[in-house]
Amino acid sequence: MWNMLSTSYKAGDNIRFIATVQNTVKQFDAEFPKANVFAITPSCEISAGDHATVTAGFDIRWDGVTPWRGTGDISLPVYVSFSL
């Protein structure tokens, strides 16, 4: 089961802030937190024009550990999107 909640705030004509919280339960009969993945992803989306967008943010993920009590993995994904 996968649950996700996302919200965004438009700070200007070409910038938007996004926050996403998600939880994945891989196996319902497993002991908590061994089969859970909890993630928080704050990001910023900048529109460079009508057909170009750059999104950068942190992906903070707790896989198989209780959030805020164990060590989480942090990555910095940067997405670039162009369309014609």
Side-chain angles (χ1 to χ4, degrees):
M1 181 174 70
W2 178 57
N3 301 304
M4 183 179 87
L5 176 67
S6 185
T7 184
S8 66
Y9 172 74
K10 189 168 183 176
D13 290 339
N14 63 345
I15 190 166
R16 183 170 69 129
F17 297 106
I18 306 161
T20 304
V21 177
Q22 55 186 322
N23 184 46
T24 305
V25 179
K26 299 178 193 175
Q27 195 175 33
F28 285 110
D29 58 350
E31 183 180 322
F32 179 81
K34 293 180 182 174
N36 282 310
V37 178
F38 182 77
I40 301 171
T41 310
S43 58
C44 178
E45 180 181 275
I46 299 172
S47 177
D50 290 339
H51 301 289
T53 303
V54 177
T55 304
F58 290 102
D59 184 45
I60 306 165
R61 187 171 299 265
W62 289 271
D63 190 355
V65 295
T66 303
W68 295 283
R69 291 191 182 177
T71 304
D73 296 323
I74 298 175
S75 61
L76 179 62
V78 177
Y79 304 102
V80 180
S81 173
F82 294 102
S83 63
L84 299 173

